[in-house]
Amino acid sequence: MMEELQLPHPQKRYLMDYVKRGDALPLQRFPPSSKQPVPVSSPAACQPRRLPARALLRPAKVCQAGDAYTREKFKPQPTRDLEQEKRRLQNILATGKDEVEDEVEQVFIGKKEEEIAEPDRFEELMNEIQERRKFLAEMEALGQGKKYQGIILTEISQKLHEMEIIDKKRTEEMRNTMTKAFPAGNKSNL
C-alpha cells in the first residue's frame, strides 16, 4: 500500500515508525524530508483520543478490590465419632487387628466374586467367532474372501483355543466341588 502512494523514502520511513509503534497515524501533513515532525497544536477537544498500543496493566488496588484475593471461608466437615474410634482402638489393642481392615477385605473378596460372575468369557468368545464368520462371509460375497480368509481363520482358531482352556478350568472346578460335596463315593463314580 505504501508503494501505491508514491511517497519519498523519508516519508515512508516516518509512517512505518508510527505503524511499528502501534500509534495512530498523524493527522497533519508529512514533514519536509529534511526536518523532524512538528506536532500540531490544536485544542484537545478536537483531537480523537488514541488507544494504547498494548493493554495496560491494572493497578494493584483495582485487582485487590475485585474478588481475586478473597478466600473462601472455612467450612468444617463432620468430625469423627469419638466413641467409635475408642472401640476401634480398644479392639486393636485387644486382638491386634483392626475391624475396618477385616471389613475392607470382605468387601474386596465380595467384589472379586461379582466381577467373575458378570461377564461370561465363554459366551463372549462365541459371539466373537460368529462375528468373524459373518465378516468372512460378507467379504466372500464381495469377492475379497481370499484376502481376509487367513487372518480370520487364525483369529477363530485362537478364540477356540481360549474356549478350550476355559472349558478345562470349568470341568476341573466342577470335579473339585463334586469331590467336596460327595467325598465317600467319588472314586467309584468317577
mmCIF file of all heavy atoms in Angstrom, residues 16-40:
data_model
loop_
_atom_site.group_PDB
_atom_site.id
_atom_site.type_symbol
_atom_site.label_atom_id
_atom_site.label_comp_id
_atom_site.label_asym_id
_atom_site.label_seq_id
_atom_site.Cartn_x
_atom_site.Cartn_y
_atom_site.Cartn_z
ATOM 1 N N MET A 16 6.124 4.333 8.692
ATOM 2 C CA MET A 16 6.402 2.981 9.182
ATOM 3 C C MET A 16 6.763 3.000 10.668
ATOM 4 O O MET A 16 6.454 2.074 11.407
ATOM 5 C CB MET A 16 7.514 2.328 8.368
ATOM 6 C CG MET A 16 7.074 1.928 6.967
ATOM 7 S SD MET A 16 5.592 0.898 6.931
ATOM 8 C CE MET A 16 6.209 -0.600 7.617
ATOM 9 N N ASP A 17 7.434 4.094 11.113
ATOM 10 C CA ASP A 17 7.745 4.221 12.535
ATOM 11 C C ASP A 17 6.460 4.252 13.361
ATOM 12 O O ASP A 17 6.367 3.629 14.417
ATOM 13 C CB ASP A 17 8.566 5.488 12.805
ATOM 14 C CG ASP A 17 10.004 5.365 12.302
ATOM 15 O OD1 ASP A 17 10.446 4.210 12.105
ATOM 16 O OD2 ASP A 17 10.659 6.407 12.121
ATOM 17 N N TYR A 18 5.459 4.978 12.880
ATOM 18 C CA TYR A 18 4.182 5.029 13.579
ATOM 19 C C TYR A 18 3.521 3.639 13.605
ATOM 20 O O TYR A 18 2.978 3.202 14.620
ATOM 21 C CB TYR A 18 3.228 6.030 12.909
ATOM 22 C CG TYR A 18 3.384 7.446 13.410
ATOM 23 C CD1 TYR A 18 4.201 8.346 12.762
ATOM 24 C CD2 TYR A 18 2.702 7.872 14.540
ATOM 25 C CE1 TYR A 18 4.351 9.645 13.211
ATOM 26 C CE2 TYR A 18 2.837 9.171 15.001
ATOM 27 C CZ TYR A 18 3.665 10.048 14.337
ATOM 28 O OH TYR A 18 3.794 11.315 14.803
ATOM 29 N N VAL A 19 3.583 2.951 12.481
ATOM 30 C CA VAL A 19 2.957 1.629 12.389
ATOM 31 C C VAL A 19 3.651 0.644 13.320
ATOM 32 O O VAL A 19 3.008 -0.138 14.025
ATOM 33 C CB VAL A 19 2.980 1.131 10.923
ATOM 34 C CG1 VAL A 19 2.537 -0.320 10.835
ATOM 35 C CG2 VAL A 19 2.107 2.018 10.055
ATOM 36 N N LYS A 20 4.983 0.680 13.359
ATOM 37 C CA LYS A 20 5.738 -0.244 14.224
ATOM 38 C C LYS A 20 5.422 -0.017 15.699
ATOM 39 O O LYS A 20 5.341 -0.952 16.477
ATOM 40 C CB LYS A 20 7.239 -0.086 13.990
ATOM 41 C CG LYS A 20 7.702 -0.696 12.692
ATOM 42 C CD LYS A 20 9.191 -0.505 12.513
ATOM 43 C CE LYS A 20 9.637 -1.019 11.155
ATOM 44 N NZ LYS A 20 11.057 -0.743 10.901
ATOM 45 N N ARG A 21 5.283 1.231 16.078
ATOM 46 C CA ARG A 21 4.969 1.542 17.470
ATOM 47 C C ARG A 21 3.519 1.241 17.814
ATOM 48 O O ARG A 21 3.159 1.132 18.975
ATOM 49 C CB ARG A 21 5.241 3.009 17.768
ATOM 50 C CG ARG A 21 6.714 3.329 17.921
ATOM 51 C CD ARG A 21 6.899 4.760 18.251
ATOM 52 N NE ARG A 21 6.616 5.511 17.007
ATOM 53 C CZ ARG A 21 6.616 6.808 16.902
ATOM 54 N NH1 ARG A 21 6.827 7.562 17.940
ATOM 55 N NH2 ARG A 21 6.369 7.397 15.751
ATOM 56 N N GLY A 22 2.684 1.107 16.801
ATOM 57 C CA GLY A 22 1.280 0.840 17.050
ATOM 58 C C GLY A 22 0.488 2.099 17.307
ATOM 59 O O GLY A 22 -0.653 2.048 17.761
ATOM 60 N N ASP A 23 1.080 3.236 17.029
ATOM 61 C CA ASP A 23 0.391 4.509 17.235
ATOM 62 C C ASP A 23 -0.521 4.804 16.056
ATOM 63 O O ASP A 23 -0.385 4.235 14.974
ATOM 64 C CB ASP A 23 1.409 5.655 17.363
ATOM 65 C CG ASP A 23 2.222 5.528 18.641
ATOM 66 O OD1 ASP A 23 1.760 4.829 19.560
ATOM 67 O OD2 ASP A 23 3.311 6.129 18.706
ATOM 68 N N ALA A 24 -1.445 5.710 16.286
ATOM 69 C CA ALA A 24 -2.317 6.154 15.209
ATOM 70 C C ALA A 24 -1.505 7.031 14.266
ATOM 71 O O ALA A 24 -0.560 7.714 14.672
ATOM 72 C CB ALA A 24 -3.491 6.938 15.766
ATOM 73 N N LEU A 25 -1.843 7.014 13.019
ATOM 74 C CA LEU A 25 -1.122 7.837 12.048
ATOM 75 C C LEU A 25 -1.403 9.309 12.327
ATOM 76 O O LEU A 25 -2.480 9.671 12.802
ATOM 77 C CB LEU A 25 -1.549 7.461 10.633
ATOM 78 C CG LEU A 25 -1.151 6.056 10.185
ATOM 79 C CD1 LEU A 25 -1.718 5.772 8.799
ATOM 80 C CD2 LEU A 25 0.342 5.876 10.185
ATOM 81 N N PRO A 26 -0.447 10.166 12.016
ATOM 82 C CA PRO A 26 -0.629 11.603 12.311
ATOM 83 C C PRO A 26 -1.712 12.209 11.427
ATOM 84 O O PRO A 26 -1.922 11.792 10.288
ATOM 85 C CB PRO A 26 0.741 12.201 12.004
ATOM 86 C CG PRO A 26 1.358 11.256 11.038
ATOM 87 C CD PRO A 26 0.832 9.895 11.388
ATOM 88 N N LEU A 27 -2.382 13.202 11.974
ATOM 89 C CA LEU A 27 -3.436 13.888 11.243
ATOM 90 C C LEU A 27 -2.869 15.019 10.389
ATOM 91 O O LEU A 27 -3.558 15.572 9.543
ATOM 92 C CB LEU A 27 -4.478 14.446 12.213
ATOM 93 C CG LEU A 27 -5.213 13.397 13.033
ATOM 94 C CD1 LEU A 27 -6.132 14.070 14.042
ATOM 95 C CD2 LEU A 27 -6.011 12.483 12.125
ATOM 96 N N GLN A 28 -1.626 15.394 10.606
ATOM 97 C CA GLN A 28 -1.002 16.502 9.894
ATOM 98 C C GLN A 28 -0.368 16.028 8.594
ATOM 99 O O GLN A 28 -0.245 14.840 8.360
ATOM 100 C CB GLN A 28 0.065 17.127 10.779
ATOM 101 C CG GLN A 28 1.204 16.140 11.043
ATOM 102 C CD GLN A 28 2.153 16.652 12.089
ATOM 103 O OE1 GLN A 28 1.790 17.515 12.848
ATOM 104 N NE2 GLN A 28 3.348 16.127 12.119
ATOM 105 N N ARG A 29 0.071 16.970 7.832
ATOM 106 C CA ARG A 29 0.791 16.664 6.597
ATOM 107 C C ARG A 29 2.169 16.138 6.979
ATOM 108 O O ARG A 29 2.661 16.373 8.075
ATOM 109 C CB ARG A 29 0.948 17.925 5.768
ATOM 110 C CG ARG A 29 -0.297 18.331 5.091
ATOM 111 C CD ARG A 29 0.041 18.332 3.625
ATOM 112 N NE ARG A 29 -1.070 18.638 2.790
ATOM 113 C CZ ARG A 29 -1.561 17.768 1.945
ATOM 114 N NH1 ARG A 29 -1.091 16.570 1.867
ATOM 115 N NH2 ARG A 29 -2.536 18.118 1.165
ATOM 116 N N PHE A 30 2.745 15.429 6.041
ATOM 117 C CA PHE A 30 4.079 14.895 6.289
ATOM 118 C C PHE A 30 5.077 16.035 6.405
ATOM 119 O O PHE A 30 4.966 17.035 5.689
ATOM 120 C CB PHE A 30 4.506 13.955 5.159
ATOM 121 C CG PHE A 30 3.622 12.760 5.054
ATOM 122 C CD1 PHE A 30 2.790 12.602 3.958
ATOM 123 C CD2 PHE A 30 3.606 11.801 6.050
ATOM 124 C CE1 PHE A 30 1.974 11.496 3.855
ATOM 125 C CE2 PHE A 30 2.793 10.699 5.946
ATOM 126 C CZ PHE A 30 1.975 10.545 4.853
ATOM 127 N N PRO A 31 6.081 15.878 7.260
ATOM 128 C CA PRO A 31 7.084 16.951 7.395
ATOM 129 C C PRO A 31 7.984 16.944 6.165
ATOM 130 O O PRO A 31 8.095 15.957 5.472
ATOM 131 C CB PRO A 31 7.848 16.548 8.644
ATOM 132 C CG PRO A 31 7.721 15.070 8.680
ATOM 133 C CD PRO A 31 6.349 14.774 8.123
ATOM 134 N N PRO A 32 8.601 18.063 5.948
ATOM 135 C CA PRO A 32 9.571 18.077 4.852
ATOM 136 C C PRO A 32 10.665 17.068 5.152
ATOM 137 O O PRO A 32 10.958 16.758 6.293
ATOM 138 C CB PRO A 32 10.114 19.507 4.838
ATOM 139 C CG PRO A 32 9.378 20.259 5.878
ATOM 140 C CD PRO A 32 8.459 19.345 6.585
ATOM 141 N N SER A 33 11.258 16.561 4.138
ATOM 142 C CA SER A 33 12.194 15.448 4.298
ATOM 143 C C SER A 33 13.403 15.812 5.129
ATOM 144 O O SER A 33 14.048 14.960 5.710
ATOM 145 C CB SER A 33 12.639 14.946 2.925
ATOM 146 O OG SER A 33 13.247 15.997 2.208
ATOM 147 N N SER A 34 13.760 17.073 5.238
ATOM 148 C CA SER A 34 14.949 17.455 5.985
ATOM 149 C C SER A 34 14.644 17.772 7.439
ATOM 150 O O SER A 34 15.546 17.906 8.238
ATOM 151 C CB SER A 34 15.625 18.663 5.332
ATOM 152 O OG SER A 34 14.750 19.774 5.369
ATOM 153 N N LYS A 35 13.375 17.930 7.822
ATOM 154 C CA LYS A 35 13.029 18.333 9.183
ATOM 155 C C LYS A 35 12.364 17.188 9.936
ATOM 156 O O LYS A 35 11.797 16.279 9.346
ATOM 157 C CB LYS A 35 12.073 19.523 9.163
ATOM 158 C CG LYS A 35 12.670 20.771 8.579
ATOM 159 C CD LYS A 35 11.648 21.883 8.678
ATOM 160 C CE LYS A 35 12.198 23.165 8.103
ATOM 161 N NZ LYS A 35 11.216 24.225 8.146
ATOM 162 N N GLN A 36 12.415 17.261 11.229
ATOM 163 C CA GLN A 36 11.731 16.318 12.093
ATOM 164 C C GLN A 36 10.256 16.688 12.144
ATOM 165 O O GLN A 36 9.892 17.839 11.927
ATOM 166 C CB GLN A 36 12.310 16.350 13.519
ATOM 167 C CG GLN A 36 13.705 15.796 13.625
ATOM 168 C CD GLN A 36 13.707 14.314 13.346
ATOM 169 O OE1 GLN A 36 12.733 13.617 13.608
ATOM 170 N NE2 GLN A 36 14.801 13.810 12.782
ATOM 171 N N PRO A 37 9.369 15.736 12.468
ATOM 172 C CA PRO A 37 7.948 16.061 12.525
ATOM 173 C C PRO A 37 7.650 17.079 13.617
ATOM 174 O O PRO A 37 8.187 17.012 14.710
ATOM 175 C CB PRO A 37 7.288 14.724 12.845
ATOM 176 C CG PRO A 37 8.359 13.868 13.365
ATOM 177 C CD PRO A 37 9.652 14.383 12.807
ATOM 178 N N VAL A 38 6.815 18.030 13.263
ATOM 179 C CA VAL A 38 6.411 19.071 14.195
ATOM 180 C C VAL A 38 5.001 18.751 14.639
ATOM 181 O O VAL A 38 4.106 18.597 13.815
ATOM 182 C CB VAL A 38 6.462 20.462 13.524
ATOM 183 C CG1 VAL A 38 6.016 21.550 14.488
ATOM 184 C CG2 VAL A 38 7.834 20.734 12.963
ATOM 185 N N PRO A 39 4.750 18.655 15.967
ATOM 186 C CA PRO A 39 3.393 18.351 16.410
ATOM 187 C C PRO A 39 2.448 19.507 16.123
ATOM 188 O O PRO A 39 2.820 20.665 16.191
ATOM 189 C CB PRO A 39 3.549 18.115 17.912
ATOM 190 C CG PRO A 39 4.815 18.784 18.292
ATOM 191 C CD PRO A 39 5.683 18.792 17.071
ATOM 192 N N VAL A 40 1.254 19.190 15.795
ATOM 193 C CA VAL A 40 0.233 20.184 15.501
ATOM 194 C C VAL A 40 -0.381 20.608 16.821
ATOM 195 O O VAL A 40 -0.798 19.788 17.626
ATOM 196 C CB VAL A 40 -0.845 19.585 14.575
ATOM 197 C CG1 VAL A 40 -1.967 20.586 14.353
ATOM 198 C CG2 VAL A 40 -0.226 19.163 13.269
#
